[in-house]
């Protein structure tokens, strides 16, 4: 009975289209606002984005700020940009776990400030991925051990993505299209301690497009986690068609956790029937988000065994 219920939920998920909605911001059409964004990441060069924008979540319409002064301090040591490319300010420093960072940007008589830290890398081991054909539907199975840092506020984000590339037949227009795109996939999580602590509401009670969760129920424990991704076949793909799957695992600060949670809420199916939710910002004197993360990416192999 339980297996039959899960299959019904899977079919429901397939029939539900994804929904994305841009939040409305109450600004005049001609008004430009100062926006400061940055995700200081472990083992990455430090950089921030400082720009004019009508909507701070959409950096595609941002514009560089002329005459701006942008500086940072890392663990109390002040740094100036080593390079500026458009709205991006690069600093001569590769970030490490537990680094403390503050940023200050001054322009047009305004001062924007924010602070964050770099969380510790997620500890993933014994990762195994394969195509599970034991059910009536095929699943891409991903299992791994997650070792949580004891007495440390870990917050996690799990996403399964694929790069799809190749030729596909467009039956409606009777022509061949070239595809090269990256997309996320919905999945089930078998660990109740991760799902019970999740800040994201699963579709139909089971499926996550991203799993945002904390270690509030398993601090210091090692969890064996299995994620199941429903694998469908597109009969219009022309072989050889490339599918490259990856598991993205992040540890994030509280500010980034709240920001990502608000984004997930604003793009959920139920948001079409509710008022737009506010999106978290931690920028003093302006708009944007400056919040650290540590990210690992693992390749997945869902190829079927040779017959």
């Amino acid at each position: 009975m339980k297996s039959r219920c899960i299959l019904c939920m899977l079919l429901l998920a397939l029939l539900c289209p994804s929904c994305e909605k841009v939040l409305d911001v109450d600004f005049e059409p001609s008004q430009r606002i100062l926006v400061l964004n940055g995700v200081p990441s472990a083992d990455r060069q430090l950089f921030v984005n400082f720009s004019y924008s009508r909507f701070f979540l959409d950096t595609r319409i941002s514009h560089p700020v002329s005459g701006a002064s942008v500086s940072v301090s890392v663990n109390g040591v002040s740094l100036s940009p080593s390079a500026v490319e458009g709205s991006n300010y690069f600093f001569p420093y590769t970030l490490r776990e537990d680094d403390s960072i503050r940023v200050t940007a001054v322009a047009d008589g305004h001062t924007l400030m924010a602070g964050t830290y770099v969380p510790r890398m997620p500890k993933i081991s014994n990762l195994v991925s394969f195509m599970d054909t034991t059910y009536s539907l095929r699943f891409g199975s991903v299992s791994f051990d997650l070792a949580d840092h004891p007495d440390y506020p870990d917050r996690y984000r799990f996403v399964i993505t694929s790069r799809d590339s190749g030729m596909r037949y467009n039956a409606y227009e009777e022509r061949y299209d070239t595809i090269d795109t990256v997309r996320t996939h919905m999945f089930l999580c078998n660990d109740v301690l991760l799902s019970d602590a999740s800040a994201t509401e699963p579709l139909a009670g089971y499926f996550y497009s991203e799993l945002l969760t904390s270690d509030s129920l398993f601090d210091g424990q090692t969890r064996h986690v299995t994620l199941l991704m429903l694998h469908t076949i597109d009969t219009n793909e022309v072989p050889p068609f490339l599918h490259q799957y990856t598991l993205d695992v992040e540890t994030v600060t509280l500010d980034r956790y709240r920001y990502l949670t608000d984004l997930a809420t604003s793009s959920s199916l139920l948001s079409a029937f509710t008022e737009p939710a506010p999106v978290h910002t931690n920028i003093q004197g302006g708009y944007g988000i400056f919040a650290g993360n540590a990210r690992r990416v693992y390749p997945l192999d869902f190829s079927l065994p040779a017959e």
Side-chain angles (χ1 to χ4, degrees):
M1 181 63 69
K2 182 177 180 181
S3 176
R4 184 176 300 174
C5 179
I6 292 178
L7 291 178
C8 291
M9 294 299 100
L10 287 169
L11 294 175
L12 176 61
L14 288 176
L15 295 174
C16 292
S18 61
C19 177
E20 292 188 4
K21 186 174 68 173
V22 177
L23 298 182
D24 294 325
V25 180
D26 188 18
F27 293 115
E28 295 297 327
S30 60
Q31 183 180 0
R32 296 190 302 180
I33 61 173
L34 290 170
V35 178
L36 180 62
N37 284 316
V39 185
S41 301
D43 297 337
R44 302 287 183 90
Q45 182 180 6
L46 173 60
F47 81 94
V48 298
N49 181 283
F50 184 50
S51 64
Y52 289 117
S53 178
R54 283 197 54 240
F55 184 42
F56 75 85
L57 299 181
D58 189 357
T59 57
R60 293 172 299 177
I61 58 174
S62 65
H63 302 279
V65 180
S66 178
S69 172
V70 180
S71 61
V72 300
S73 68
V74 181
N75 304 323
V77 178
S78 297
L79 297 173
S80 298
S82 57
V84 179
E85 298 178 7
S87 300
N88 292 324
Y89 295 75
F90 295 87
F91 296 86
Y93 185 79
T94 300
L95 292 156
R96 298 172 296 183
E97 296 176 327
D98 295 323
D99 277 343
S100 177
I101 312 107
R102 292 201 60 83
V103 61
T104 302
V106 180
D108 299 345
H110 298 278
T111 300
L112 286 70
M113 296 184 296
T116 190
Y117 68 95
V118 178
R120 297 173 187 174
M121 279 286 191
K123 297 171 66 177
I124 301 293
S125 62
N126 302 321
L127 187 144
V128 176
S129 60
F130 65 96
M131 184 64 68
D132 190 343
T133 59
T134 58
Y135 301 92
S136 56
L137 297 174
R138 297 197 303 181
F139 292 91
S141 177
V142 185
S143 62
F144 53 88
D145 292 328
L146 171 66
D148 186 71
H149 300 100
D151 302 319
Y152 185 87
D154 280 312
R155 301 173 185 87
Y156 298 98
R157 179 178 185 248
F158 299 92
V159 181
I160 296 178
T161 63
S162 70
R163 180 193 171 195
D164 303 329
S165 180
M167 194 77 68
R168 183 181 183 279
Y169 180 64
N170 186 331
Y172 181 75
E173 298 184 6
E174 297 184 342
R175 61 183 176 86
Y176 289 92
D177 295 329
T178 300
I179 305 298
D180 192 0
T181 185
V182 175
R183 64 191 182 101
T184 61
H185 295 266
M186 304 200 77
F187 58 88
L188 296 132
C189 175
N190 79 329
D191 191 301
V192 294
L193 296 189
L194 269 70
S195 57
D196 284 353
S198 173
T200 45
E201 191 69 24
L203 178 64
Y206 293 94
F207 298 93
Y208 298 93
S209 57
E210 65 174 345
L211 175 57
L212 286 165
T213 190
S214 71
D215 66 352
S216 59
L217 301 179
F218 56 93
D219 179 62
Q221 298 180 24
T222 296
R223 308 293 302 173
H224 184 71
V225 182
T226 298
L227 308 178
L228 293 176
M229 183 200 78
L230 179 64
H231 189 274
T232 57
I233 300 175
D234 186 347
T235 57
N236 289 324
E237 293 175 355
V238 180
F241 196 96
L242 178 67
H243 294 284
Q244 292 179 316
Y245 295 94
T246 57
L247 172 66
D248 293 60
V249 184
E250 284 185 62
T251 50
V252 299
T253 62
L254 177 59
D255 281 319
R256 181 160 172 79
Y257 190 75
R258 293 179 60 187
Y259 171 77
L260 292 170
T261 301
D262 289 346
L263 285 186
T265 301
S266 69
S267 60
S268 69
L269 290 174
L270 293 178
S271 67
F273 308 101
T274 60
E275 291 294 321
V279 177
H280 177 68
T281 177
N282 65 340
I283 305 298
Q284 302 174 39
Y287 299 89
I289 188 73
F290 185 70
N293 80 334
R295 178 171 176 250
R296 293 193 188 277
V297 179
Y298 301 91
L300 304 175
D301 184 4
F302 293 146
S303 58
L304 288 171
E307 296 182 355

